[in-house]
Amino acid sequence: MQETNLFDRRSTRDLSRDIRLSILRTHRTAGGGHLGSSLSIVEIMAVLFHRHIRPIQPEEKTWSGDRFVLSKGHAALALYCTLESTGQISAPQLATFGKNGSALEPHPNENLLPQVHVSTGSLGQGISAAVGLALGMRLRQTGGRTFVLIGDGEANEGQVWEAARSATMLGLSNLVVILDDNQMQQDGPTPDIMRMADLPASWSAMGWAVAECNGHACNAIETALDVLLATKGSMPKLLHARTVKGCGVDFLENRTESHYPPALSEEELALVQYRLQRF
Amino acid sequence: MNHSYRDLLLAIGEVNGLVVVLDAGLGTSMQTEGFARAFPDRYFNLGIAEQNAVSVAAGLARQGFIPLVHTFSNFLSRRAHDQIALSVAWPGCHVKLVAGSCGLFDGRNGPSHTAIDDLSGICALPGMAVLEPGDMAQTESLLSWAVNTPGPCYLRLRRHGAPQNLLPEREHIPGTTLVHASNAPQCTLVACGSMLETVMRAAELLQDYGCALDLIHISRIRPLDAAPILHSIARSGRLFTIENHVSSGGASDLIAQAIGPVGVPHFRLALPDEFLPAGAPEWLLGYCRLDAACIAERIAAILSGDSYVSIYNSLPGRSETQPTR
């Protein structure tokens, strides 16, 4: 189904390490940004963009192919670094992140960056737009799939649940939601702020096909996604990924301060790089 | 031939296979059932969840469809404003928001269901076209224009008792229409959207008592074509705008911005600065001092100055200016 030669065949583990370092360097250049949320989804993004979502070629009809929606738009830095790893944006363009007037805004803006399929930033809206995309693909019979990444903090938004219910009602088997469940949000641990019921059970109860995995183990993500995508029937699909906010930077992991920390110093960056390359 | 929104929607669905209708649980009120029956593959009732419906429409538009999202203006503009702004207006999606509640004309159910303020937020959104027809014949051309014109659009419709056909000649492009012109007008009346019928009657009263005027109707509030208004006020020197919305942020404000540099006195006849009581349209028009007699009186009072009393007393229907129940 997929043309494998379009993807980087290095291991997604190696690709993830590169993307993580790219995020840290870009964050340092920019002098700030939503770092913790970006580090939380690195492995998910590497698997999605190097194994599943083919870049849309400029000559293709606009509605063919797969689509990706970063519903938790504040993790845009991870999206940009992943797109740079697939060659869809250049290194000099990536370096403009955080600069005034850059096309790489802190939240993805499709008007400025065509590689962004849906502009996001206001939580809860991306998943609904993904429902519309998946429905449109089905009406057009394009065979395309819509992948959408949401966060557990984002799941506080009522719109997420409106979208989830509508997806099962519409029978959107071509919709794949990846839930980045790092148990954190801007103000602290999600369970301390707005505790969500057992998320996989909730989605399962709404009629979704649910798979779970460690969101930082690339093999586990790949296997779970393969199983999910092979699921027959009309159910939309949820991959529940257990993740760590700030993953890869030990002094930021699971810490509230990881949400929008200042740039790492050269020494900190060197230390993180050393540790990442050893594992 | 009499039109209903039900028939107009069905007709546009037959002409254009890309039109998709979304409901947010108010399909029977929004008259979408004919379309639903005729085109079940292009009809989706997404339940009482406006925010999702608006963002889903934005996704459908990206697949080349033309989604028409239906619910009442009050719910659409208040509950789903962020979705209208960011899912639809920001990317400029080809989404049509069919807002089925038109100020006091659909005020039977009280403040929760009465859209007195929807235009203020919607008109402030970059790239948003805002349409409000004066009658059903115009609704037909506006719906067609909306579906065939790329970009986001808000269509504010009167659900109950809209007049059929008020104007002899129909302009198929929504905009600003000179309905009546005088040789030496004392004032320019601009009827905004649904106020056309009432303002036409008020204009007749004023003319019966010797007032020469120009009457202009706007069916497209944004982007506004101000040229006919500017042309008229250059001759009349006085502008009255009559609208079915609070004075702040509606059509009067957009007109005021357009005519600002001209410096002509501009009087706004709009909904009062309050949440309206529940009531039938005729009663609410009186309550808001916006029925034909009240409009004529208010305009006469301003125009006549010293001779105000004589015109005021000679106007028929003075007793209608107070609510009767």
PDB file of all heavy atoms in Angstrom, chain A residues 63 110-111 117 119 122 125 128-129 132 139-140 159 162-163 166 169-170, chain B residues 41 44-45 49 51-52 55-56 59 62-65 82-83 86-87 90-91:
ATOM      1  N   TRP A  63      -7.006  16.880  -2.696  1.00  0.00           N
ATOM      2  CA  TRP A  63      -7.662  16.053  -1.684  1.00  0.00           C
ATOM      3  C   TRP A  63      -7.192  14.599  -1.678  1.00  0.00           C
ATOM      4  O   TRP A  63      -7.772  13.778  -1.002  1.00  0.00           O
ATOM      5  CB  TRP A  63      -9.185  16.125  -1.795  1.00  0.00           C
ATOM      6  CG  TRP A  63      -9.701  16.155  -3.198  1.00  0.00           C
ATOM      7  CD1 TRP A  63      -9.787  15.116  -4.059  1.00  0.00           C
ATOM      8  CD2 TRP A  63     -10.192  17.301  -3.886  1.00  0.00           C
ATOM      9  NE1 TRP A  63     -10.295  15.524  -5.240  1.00  0.00           N
ATOM     10  CE2 TRP A  63     -10.559  16.869  -5.178  1.00  0.00           C
ATOM     11  CE3 TRP A  63     -10.347  18.653  -3.547  1.00  0.00           C
ATOM     12  CZ2 TRP A  63     -11.083  17.742  -6.120  1.00  0.00           C
ATOM     13  CZ3 TRP A  63     -10.857  19.509  -4.506  1.00  0.00           C
ATOM     14  CH2 TRP A  63     -11.220  19.061  -5.755  1.00  0.00           C
ATOM     15  N   GLU A 110      -1.327  27.074   8.339  1.00  0.00           N
ATOM     16  CA  GLU A 110      -1.321  26.561   6.964  1.00  0.00           C
ATOM     17  C   GLU A 110      -1.243  27.676   5.931  1.00  0.00           C
ATOM     18  O   GLU A 110      -0.824  27.445   4.795  1.00  0.00           O
ATOM     19  CB  GLU A 110      -2.573  25.715   6.714  1.00  0.00           C
ATOM     20  CG  GLU A 110      -3.859  26.528   6.709  1.00  0.00           C
ATOM     21  CD  GLU A 110      -5.109  25.653   6.748  1.00  0.00           C
ATOM     22  OE1 GLU A 110      -5.528  25.163   5.695  1.00  0.00           O
ATOM     23  OE2 GLU A 110      -5.658  25.477   7.850  1.00  0.00           O
ATOM     24  N   ASN A 111      -1.652  28.882   6.311  1.00  0.00           N
ATOM     25  CA  ASN A 111      -1.590  30.002   5.365  1.00  0.00           C
ATOM     26  C   ASN A 111      -0.144  30.365   5.037  1.00  0.00           C
ATOM     27  O   ASN A 111       0.158  30.833   3.948  1.00  0.00           O
ATOM     28  CB  ASN A 111      -2.289  31.241   5.937  1.00  0.00           C
ATOM     29  CG  ASN A 111      -3.768  31.006   6.209  1.00  0.00           C
ATOM     30  OD1 ASN A 111      -4.360  30.089   5.650  1.00  0.00           O
ATOM     31  ND2 ASN A 111      -4.352  31.817   7.063  1.00  0.00           N
ATOM     32  N   HIS A 117      -1.341  20.829   7.215  1.00  0.00           N
ATOM     33  CA  HIS A 117      -2.623  20.516   6.577  1.00  0.00           C
ATOM     34  C   HIS A 117      -3.784  21.277   7.213  1.00  0.00           C
ATOM     35  O   HIS A 117      -4.741  21.641   6.536  1.00  0.00           O
ATOM     36  CB  HIS A 117      -2.894  19.012   6.644  1.00  0.00           C
ATOM     37  CG  HIS A 117      -1.862  18.189   5.926  1.00  0.00           C
ATOM     38  ND1 HIS A 117      -1.625  16.874   6.177  1.00  0.00           N
ATOM     39  CD2 HIS A 117      -0.974  18.535   4.943  1.00  0.00           C
ATOM     40  CE1 HIS A 117      -0.658  16.419   5.394  1.00  0.00           C
ATOM     41  NE2 HIS A 117      -0.240  17.418   4.652  1.00  0.00           N
ATOM     42  N   SER A 119      -4.464  24.393  10.244  1.00  0.00           N
ATOM     43  CA  SER A 119      -3.976  25.325  11.275  1.00  0.00           C
ATOM     44  C   SER A 119      -4.610  24.977  12.620  1.00  0.00           C
ATOM     45  O   SER A 119      -5.805  24.683  12.682  1.00  0.00           O
ATOM     46  CB  SER A 119      -4.356  26.761  10.918  1.00  0.00           C
ATOM     47  OG  SER A 119      -3.820  27.128   9.675  1.00  0.00           O
ATOM     48  N   SER A 122      -6.028  26.438  19.012  1.00  0.00           N
ATOM     49  CA  SER A 122      -7.123  26.473  19.975  1.00  0.00           C
ATOM     50  C   SER A 122      -7.557  25.024  20.191  1.00  0.00           C
ATOM     51  O   SER A 122      -8.085  24.383  19.284  1.00  0.00           O
ATOM     52  CB  SER A 122      -8.269  27.325  19.441  1.00  0.00           C
ATOM     53  OG  SER A 122      -9.293  27.431  20.396  1.00  0.00           O
ATOM     54  N   GLN A 125     -10.187  21.865  18.440  1.00  0.00           N
ATOM     55  CA  GLN A 125     -10.721  22.092  17.097  1.00  0.00           C
ATOM     56  C   GLN A 125     -10.107  21.169  16.055  1.00  0.00           C
ATOM     57  O   GLN A 125     -10.759  20.791  15.079  1.00  0.00           O
ATOM     58  CB  GLN A 125     -10.514  23.551  16.679  1.00  0.00           C
ATOM     59  CG  GLN A 125     -11.277  24.525  17.549  1.00  0.00           C
ATOM     60  CD  GLN A 125     -11.322  25.926  16.972  1.00  0.00           C
ATOM     61  OE1 GLN A 125     -11.282  26.125  15.779  1.00  0.00           O
ATOM     62  NE2 GLN A 125     -11.419  26.911  17.844  1.00  0.00           N
ATOM     63  N   SER A 128     -11.914  17.838  15.478  1.00  0.00           N
ATOM     64  CA  SER A 128     -13.164  17.994  14.723  1.00  0.00           C
ATOM     65  C   SER A 128     -12.875  18.197  13.238  1.00  0.00           C
ATOM     66  O   SER A 128     -13.546  17.623  12.382  1.00  0.00           O
ATOM     67  CB  SER A 128     -13.968  19.177  15.250  1.00  0.00           C
ATOM     68  OG  SER A 128     -14.430  18.945  16.554  1.00  0.00           O
ATOM     69  N   ALA A 129     -11.869  19.009  12.940  1.00  0.00           N
ATOM     70  CA  ALA A 129     -11.496  19.208  11.537  1.00  0.00           C
ATOM     71  C   ALA A 129     -11.056  17.880  10.927  1.00  0.00           C
ATOM     72  O   ALA A 129     -11.344  17.598   9.753  1.00  0.00           O
ATOM     73  CB  ALA A 129     -10.380  20.243  11.426  1.00  0.00           C
ATOM     74  N   GLY A 132     -13.977  15.968   9.848  1.00  0.00           N
ATOM     75  CA  GLY A 132     -14.454  16.474   8.559  1.00  0.00           C
ATOM     76  C   GLY A 132     -13.586  16.013   7.399  1.00  0.00           C
ATOM     77  O   GLY A 132     -14.091  15.642   6.338  1.00  0.00           O
ATOM     78  N   LEU A 139     -16.346  10.372   1.382  1.00  0.00           N
ATOM     79  CA  LEU A 139     -17.300  10.790   0.346  1.00  0.00           C
ATOM     80  C   LEU A 139     -16.654  10.775  -1.034  1.00  0.00           C
ATOM     81  O   LEU A 139     -17.280  10.435  -2.025  1.00  0.00           O
ATOM     82  CB  LEU A 139     -17.854  12.191   0.663  1.00  0.00           C
ATOM     83  CG  LEU A 139     -18.768  12.316   1.892  1.00  0.00           C
ATOM     84  CD1 LEU A 139     -19.117  13.783   2.150  1.00  0.00           C
ATOM     85  CD2 LEU A 139     -20.036  11.508   1.710  1.00  0.00           C
ATOM     86  N   ARG A 140     -15.377  11.159  -1.088  1.00  0.00           N
ATOM     87  CA  ARG A 140     -14.659  11.182  -2.368  1.00  0.00           C
ATOM     88  C   ARG A 140     -14.039   9.837  -2.715  1.00  0.00           C
ATOM     89  O   ARG A 140     -13.498   9.670  -3.799  1.00  0.00           O
ATOM     90  CB  ARG A 140     -13.534  12.227  -2.324  1.00  0.00           C
ATOM     91  CG  ARG A 140     -14.017  13.630  -2.428  1.00  0.00           C
ATOM     92  CD  ARG A 140     -12.891  14.558  -2.838  1.00  0.00           C
ATOM     93  NE  ARG A 140     -13.402  15.908  -2.973  1.00  0.00           N
ATOM     94  CZ  ARG A 140     -13.977  16.378  -4.077  1.00  0.00           C
ATOM     95  NH1 ARG A 140     -14.089  15.605  -5.137  1.00  0.00           N
ATOM     96  NH2 ARG A 140     -14.439  17.603  -4.114  1.00  0.00           N
ATOM     97  N   GLN A 159     -15.150  19.847  23.231  1.00  0.00           N
ATOM     98  CA  GLN A 159     -15.219  19.608  21.781  1.00  0.00           C
ATOM     99  C   GLN A 159     -14.569  18.285  21.394  1.00  0.00           C
ATOM    100  O   GLN A 159     -14.981  17.649  20.427  1.00  0.00           O
ATOM    101  CB  GLN A 159     -14.569  20.772  21.013  1.00  0.00           C
ATOM    102  CG  GLN A 159     -14.774  20.644  19.505  1.00  0.00           C
ATOM    103  CD  GLN A 159     -14.260  21.831  18.712  1.00  0.00           C
ATOM    104  OE1 GLN A 159     -13.751  22.791  19.273  1.00  0.00           O
ATOM    105  NE2 GLN A 159     -14.398  21.757  17.410  1.00  0.00           N
ATOM    106  N   GLU A 162     -17.242  15.792  21.713  1.00  0.00           N
ATOM    107  CA  GLU A 162     -18.215  15.949  20.614  1.00  0.00           C
ATOM    108  C   GLU A 162     -17.671  15.291  19.346  1.00  0.00           C
ATOM    109  O   GLU A 162     -18.382  14.571  18.641  1.00  0.00           O
ATOM    110  CB  GLU A 162     -18.462  17.440  20.320  1.00  0.00           C
ATOM    111  CG  GLU A 162     -19.120  18.227  21.447  1.00  0.00           C
ATOM    112  CD  GLU A 162     -19.339  19.707  21.087  1.00  0.00           C
ATOM    113  OE1 GLU A 162     -19.022  20.129  19.940  1.00  0.00           O
ATOM    114  OE2 GLU A 162     -19.824  20.443  21.950  1.00  0.00           O
ATOM    115  N   ALA A 163     -16.398  15.552  19.084  1.00  0.00           N
ATOM    116  CA  ALA A 163     -15.777  14.996  17.872  1.00  0.00           C
ATOM    117  C   ALA A 163     -15.708  13.473  17.954  1.00  0.00           C
ATOM    118  O   ALA A 163     -15.991  12.780  16.969  1.00  0.00           O
ATOM    119  CB  ALA A 163     -14.380  15.589  17.692  1.00  0.00           C
ATOM    120  N   SER A 166     -19.046  11.985  17.291  1.00  0.00           N
ATOM    121  CA  SER A 166     -19.480  12.107  15.897  1.00  0.00           C
ATOM    122  C   SER A 166     -18.707  11.143  15.005  1.00  0.00           C
ATOM    123  O   SER A 166     -19.245  10.623  14.032  1.00  0.00           O
ATOM    124  CB  SER A 166     -19.347  13.552  15.406  1.00  0.00           C
ATOM    125  OG  SER A 166     -18.003  13.959  15.357  1.00  0.00           O
ATOM    126  N   MET A 169     -20.367   7.813  15.231  1.00  0.00           N
ATOM    127  CA  MET A 169     -21.679   7.894  14.582  1.00  0.00           C
ATOM    128  C   MET A 169     -21.515   7.838  13.064  1.00  0.00           C
ATOM    129  O   MET A 169     -22.301   7.192  12.366  1.00  0.00           O
ATOM    130  CB  MET A 169     -22.359   9.193  15.029  1.00  0.00           C
ATOM    131  CG  MET A 169     -23.789   9.379  14.563  1.00  0.00           C
ATOM    132  SD  MET A 169     -23.881  10.240  12.988  1.00  0.00           S
ATOM    133  CE  MET A 169     -23.365  11.903  13.437  1.00  0.00           C
ATOM    134  N   LEU A 170     -20.467   8.495  12.562  1.00  0.00           N
ATOM    135  CA  LEU A 170     -20.240   8.538  11.115  1.00  0.00           C
ATOM    136  C   LEU A 170     -19.497   7.295  10.605  1.00  0.00           C
ATOM    137  O   LEU A 170     -19.358   7.116   9.398  1.00  0.00           O
ATOM    138  CB  LEU A 170     -19.444   9.803  10.753  1.00  0.00           C
ATOM    139  CG  LEU A 170     -20.153  11.138  11.001  1.00  0.00           C
ATOM    140  CD1 LEU A 170     -19.163  12.303  10.975  1.00  0.00           C
ATOM    141  CD2 LEU A 170     -21.262  11.367   9.977  1.00  0.00           C
TER     142      LEU A 170
ATOM    143  N   ASP B  41     -26.749  10.964   1.398  1.00  0.00           N
ATOM    144  CA  ASP B  41     -25.290  10.810   1.429  1.00  0.00           C
ATOM    145  C   ASP B  41     -24.579  12.124   1.696  1.00  0.00           C
ATOM    146  O   ASP B  41     -23.389  12.141   2.001  1.00  0.00           O
ATOM    147  CB  ASP B  41     -24.784  10.251   0.084  1.00  0.00           C
ATOM    148  CG  ASP B  41     -25.297   8.853  -0.165  1.00  0.00           C
ATOM    149  OD1 ASP B  41     -25.766   8.219   0.805  1.00  0.00           O
ATOM    150  OD2 ASP B  41     -25.248   8.405  -1.323  1.00  0.00           O
ATOM    151  N   PHE B  44     -25.694  15.355   7.151  1.00  0.00           N
ATOM    152  CA  PHE B  44     -25.211  14.815   8.417  1.00  0.00           C
ATOM    153  C   PHE B  44     -25.735  15.660   9.571  1.00  0.00           C
ATOM    154  O   PHE B  44     -25.451  16.861   9.642  1.00  0.00           O
ATOM    155  CB  PHE B  44     -23.672  14.796   8.449  1.00  0.00           C
ATOM    156  CG  PHE B  44     -23.088  14.023   7.297  1.00  0.00           C
ATOM    157  CD1 PHE B  44     -22.639  14.688   6.156  1.00  0.00           C
ATOM    158  CD2 PHE B  44     -23.023  12.641   7.327  1.00  0.00           C
ATOM    159  CE1 PHE B  44     -22.130  13.984   5.076  1.00  0.00           C
ATOM    160  CE2 PHE B  44     -22.512  11.924   6.255  1.00  0.00           C
ATOM    161  CZ  PHE B  44     -22.072  12.594   5.128  1.00  0.00           C
ATOM    162  N   ASN B  45     -26.499  15.033  10.438  1.00  0.00           N
ATOM    163  CA  ASN B  45     -26.921  15.718  11.661  1.00  0.00           C
ATOM    164  C   ASN B  45     -25.950  15.330  12.757  1.00  0.00           C
ATOM    165  O   ASN B  45     -25.913  14.174  13.194  1.00  0.00           O
ATOM    166  CB  ASN B  45     -28.349  15.313  12.023  1.00  0.00           C
ATOM    167  CG  ASN B  45     -28.941  16.241  13.075  1.00  0.00           C
ATOM    168  OD1 ASN B  45     -28.202  16.815  13.896  1.00  0.00           O
ATOM    169  ND2 ASN B  45     -30.250  16.402  13.063  1.00  0.00           N
ATOM    170  N   ALA B  49     -24.273  19.975  19.138  1.00  0.00           N
ATOM    171  CA  ALA B  49     -22.848  20.187  19.399  1.00  0.00           C
ATOM    172  C   ALA B  49     -22.309  21.118  18.315  1.00  0.00           C
ATOM    173  O   ALA B  49     -21.729  20.697  17.329  1.00  0.00           O
ATOM    174  CB  ALA B  49     -22.114  18.844  19.391  1.00  0.00           C
ATOM    175  N   GLN B  51     -19.922  23.437  18.234  1.00  0.00           N
ATOM    176  CA  GLN B  51     -18.488  23.651  18.040  1.00  0.00           C
ATOM    177  C   GLN B  51     -17.914  22.594  17.107  1.00  0.00           C
ATOM    178  O   GLN B  51     -17.166  22.890  16.166  1.00  0.00           O
ATOM    179  CB  GLN B  51     -17.767  23.607  19.387  1.00  0.00           C
ATOM    180  CG  GLN B  51     -18.312  24.616  20.377  1.00  0.00           C
ATOM    181  CD  GLN B  51     -17.604  24.554  21.720  1.00  0.00           C
ATOM    182  OE1 GLN B  51     -16.588  23.889  21.868  1.00  0.00           O
ATOM    183  NE2 GLN B  51     -18.144  25.232  22.704  1.00  0.00           N
ATOM    184  N   ASN B  52     -18.286  21.344  17.362  1.00  0.00           N
ATOM    185  CA  ASN B  52     -17.814  20.260  16.511  1.00  0.00           C
ATOM    186  C   ASN B  52     -18.309  20.449  15.080  1.00  0.00           C
ATOM    187  O   ASN B  52     -17.542  20.292  14.122  1.00  0.00           O
ATOM    188  CB  ASN B  52     -18.292  18.921  17.074  1.00  0.00           C
ATOM    189  CG  ASN B  52     -17.776  17.729  16.289  1.00  0.00           C
ATOM    190  OD1 ASN B  52     -16.580  17.616  16.037  1.00  0.00           O
ATOM    191  ND2 ASN B  52     -18.669  16.844  15.897  1.00  0.00           N
ATOM    192  N   SER B  55     -16.217  22.995  13.097  1.00  0.00           N
ATOM    193  CA  SER B  55     -14.867  22.535  12.752  1.00  0.00           C
ATOM    194  C   SER B  55     -14.908  21.368  11.767  1.00  0.00           C
ATOM    195  O   SER B  55     -14.029  21.249  10.910  1.00  0.00           O
ATOM    196  CB  SER B  55     -14.096  22.141  14.020  1.00  0.00           C
ATOM    197  OG  SER B  55     -13.936  23.245  14.880  1.00  0.00           O
ATOM    198  N   VAL B  56     -15.907  20.487  11.896  1.00  0.00           N
ATOM    199  CA  VAL B  56     -16.062  19.391  10.927  1.00  0.00           C
ATOM    200  C   VAL B  56     -16.269  19.984   9.527  1.00  0.00           C
ATOM    201  O   VAL B  56     -15.701  19.512   8.536  1.00  0.00           O
ATOM    202  CB  VAL B  56     -17.236  18.462  11.311  1.00  0.00           C
ATOM    203  CG1 VAL B  56     -17.610  17.540  10.155  1.00  0.00           C
ATOM    204  CG2 VAL B  56     -16.876  17.627  12.544  1.00  0.00           C
ATOM    205  N   GLY B  59     -13.095  20.815   7.934  1.00  0.00           N
ATOM    206  CA  GLY B  59     -12.412  19.641   7.384  1.00  0.00           C
ATOM    207  C   GLY B  59     -13.005  19.221   6.049  1.00  0.00           C
ATOM    208  O   GLY B  59     -12.281  18.933   5.096  1.00  0.00           O
ATOM    209  N   ARG B  62     -11.919  21.321   3.155  1.00  0.00           N
ATOM    210  CA  ARG B  62     -10.558  21.024   2.673  1.00  0.00           C
ATOM    211  C   ARG B  62     -10.540  19.847   1.706  1.00  0.00           C
ATOM    212  O   ARG B  62      -9.545  19.606   1.043  1.00  0.00           O
ATOM    213  CB  ARG B  62      -9.629  20.751   3.853  1.00  0.00           C
ATOM    214  CG  ARG B  62      -9.237  21.999   4.598  1.00  0.00           C
ATOM    215  CD  ARG B  62      -8.226  21.660   5.656  1.00  0.00           C
ATOM    216  NE  ARG B  62      -7.755  22.846   6.346  1.00  0.00           N
ATOM    217  CZ  ARG B  62      -8.424  23.458   7.307  1.00  0.00           C
ATOM    218  NH1 ARG B  62      -9.588  22.995   7.681  1.00  0.00           N
ATOM    219  NH2 ARG B  62      -7.936  24.532   7.891  1.00  0.00           N
ATOM    220  N   GLN B  63     -11.628  19.080   1.673  1.00  0.00           N
ATOM    221  CA  GLN B  63     -11.750  18.004   0.707  1.00  0.00           C
ATOM    222  C   GLN B  63     -12.587  18.449  -0.501  1.00  0.00           C
ATOM    223  O   GLN B  63     -13.100  17.619  -1.254  1.00  0.00           O
ATOM    224  CB  GLN B  63     -12.359  16.769   1.369  1.00  0.00           C
ATOM    225  CG  GLN B  63     -11.384  16.049   2.297  1.00  0.00           C
ATOM    226  CD  GLN B  63     -10.254  15.363   1.529  1.00  0.00           C
ATOM    227  OE1 GLN B  63     -10.492  14.518   0.676  1.00  0.00           O
ATOM    228  NE2 GLN B  63      -9.022  15.757   1.806  1.00  0.00           N
ATOM    229  N   GLY B  64     -12.778  19.740  -0.641  1.00  0.00           N
ATOM    230  CA  GLY B  64     -13.429  20.272  -1.831  1.00  0.00           C
ATOM    231  C   GLY B  64     -14.938  20.340  -1.765  1.00  0.00           C
ATOM    232  O   GLY B  64     -15.586  20.648  -2.761  1.00  0.00           O
ATOM    233  N   PHE B  65     -15.513  20.063  -0.595  1.00  0.00           N
ATOM    234  CA  PHE B  65     -16.962  20.162  -0.467  1.00  0.00           C
ATOM    235  C   PHE B  65     -17.363  21.573  -0.027  1.00  0.00           C
ATOM    236  O   PHE B  65     -16.519  22.376   0.381  1.00  0.00           O
ATOM    237  CB  PHE B  65     -17.484  19.117   0.535  1.00  0.00           C
ATOM    238  CG  PHE B  65     -17.327  17.712   0.026  1.00  0.00           C
ATOM    239  CD1 PHE B  65     -16.244  16.929   0.404  1.00  0.00           C
ATOM    240  CD2 PHE B  65     -18.239  17.183  -0.880  1.00  0.00           C
ATOM    241  CE1 PHE B  65     -16.076  15.651  -0.096  1.00  0.00           C
ATOM    242  CE2 PHE B  65     -18.078  15.903  -1.386  1.00  0.00           C
ATOM    243  CZ  PHE B  65     -16.998  15.133  -0.991  1.00  0.00           C
ATOM    244  N   ASP B  82     -15.238  30.790  18.525  1.00  0.00           N
ATOM    245  CA  ASP B  82     -13.815  30.469  18.357  1.00  0.00           C
ATOM    246  C   ASP B  82     -13.618  29.532  17.164  1.00  0.00           C
ATOM    247  O   ASP B  82     -12.648  29.666  16.407  1.00  0.00           O
ATOM    248  CB  ASP B  82     -13.283  29.817  19.641  1.00  0.00           C
ATOM    249  CG  ASP B  82     -11.772  29.682  19.655  1.00  0.00           C
ATOM    250  OD1 ASP B  82     -11.094  30.565  19.106  1.00  0.00           O
ATOM    251  OD2 ASP B  82     -11.267  28.684  20.207  1.00  0.00           O
ATOM    252  N   GLN B  83     -14.561  28.594  16.993  1.00  0.00           N
ATOM    253  CA  GLN B  83     -14.465  27.668  15.855  1.00  0.00           C
ATOM    254  C   GLN B  83     -14.690  28.415  14.535  1.00  0.00           C
ATOM    255  O   GLN B  83     -14.025  28.132  13.537  1.00  0.00           O
ATOM    256  CB  GLN B  83     -15.498  26.543  16.002  1.00  0.00           C
ATOM    257  CG  GLN B  83     -15.131  25.491  17.046  1.00  0.00           C
ATOM    258  CD  GLN B  83     -15.265  25.981  18.480  1.00  0.00           C
ATOM    259  OE1 GLN B  83     -15.918  26.977  18.754  1.00  0.00           O
ATOM    260  NE2 GLN B  83     -14.652  25.272  19.413  1.00  0.00           N
ATOM    261  N   LEU B  86     -11.332  30.453  14.068  1.00  0.00           N
ATOM    262  CA  LEU B  86     -10.062  29.762  13.820  1.00  0.00           C
ATOM    263  C   LEU B  86     -10.174  28.575  12.870  1.00  0.00           C
ATOM    264  O   LEU B  86      -9.260  28.325  12.088  1.00  0.00           O
ATOM    265  CB  LEU B  86      -9.442  29.322  15.155  1.00  0.00           C
ATOM    266  CG  LEU B  86      -9.070  30.494  16.072  1.00  0.00           C
ATOM    267  CD1 LEU B  86      -8.412  30.005  17.335  1.00  0.00           C
ATOM    268  CD2 LEU B  86      -8.163  31.487  15.361  1.00  0.00           C
ATOM    269  N   SER B  87     -11.273  27.814  12.949  1.00  0.00           N
ATOM    270  CA  SER B  87     -11.403  26.684  12.016  1.00  0.00           C
ATOM    271  C   SER B  87     -11.822  27.166  10.633  1.00  0.00           C
ATOM    272  O   SER B  87     -11.451  26.569   9.628  1.00  0.00           O
ATOM    273  CB  SER B  87     -12.440  25.668  12.528  1.00  0.00           C
ATOM    274  OG  SER B  87     -11.959  24.950  13.631  1.00  0.00           O
ATOM    275  N   TRP B  90      -9.959  31.951   9.675  1.00  0.00           N
ATOM    276  CA  TRP B  90      -8.485  32.076   9.581  1.00  0.00           C
ATOM    277  C   TRP B  90      -7.949  31.401   8.314  1.00  0.00           C
ATOM    278  O   TRP B  90      -7.275  32.040   7.493  1.00  0.00           O
ATOM    279  CB  TRP B  90      -7.874  31.530  10.874  1.00  0.00           C
ATOM    280  CG  TRP B  90      -6.374  31.502  10.947  1.00  0.00           C
ATOM    281  CD1 TRP B  90      -5.483  32.263  10.246  1.00  0.00           C
ATOM    282  CD2 TRP B  90      -5.594  30.645  11.789  1.00  0.00           C
ATOM    283  NE1 TRP B  90      -4.192  31.933  10.607  1.00  0.00           N
ATOM    284  CE2 TRP B  90      -4.231  30.951  11.547  1.00  0.00           C
ATOM    285  CE3 TRP B  90      -5.913  29.667  12.733  1.00  0.00           C
ATOM    286  CZ2 TRP B  90      -3.190  30.296  12.199  1.00  0.00           C
ATOM    287  CZ3 TRP B  90      -4.870  29.026  13.391  1.00  0.00           C
ATOM    288  CH2 TRP B  90      -3.524  29.338  13.123  1.00  0.00           C
ATOM    289  N   PRO B  91      -8.269  30.117   8.085  1.00  0.00           N
ATOM    290  CA  PRO B  91      -7.794  29.507   6.836  1.00  0.00           C
ATOM    291  C   PRO B  91      -8.631  29.890   5.616  1.00  0.00           C
ATOM    292  O   PRO B  91      -8.305  29.503   4.498  1.00  0.00           O
ATOM    293  CB  PRO B  91      -7.890  28.000   7.111  1.00  0.00           C
ATOM    294  CG  PRO B  91      -8.821  27.829   8.234  1.00  0.00           C
ATOM    295  CD  PRO B  91      -8.903  29.119   8.982  1.00  0.00           C
TER     296      PRO B  91
END
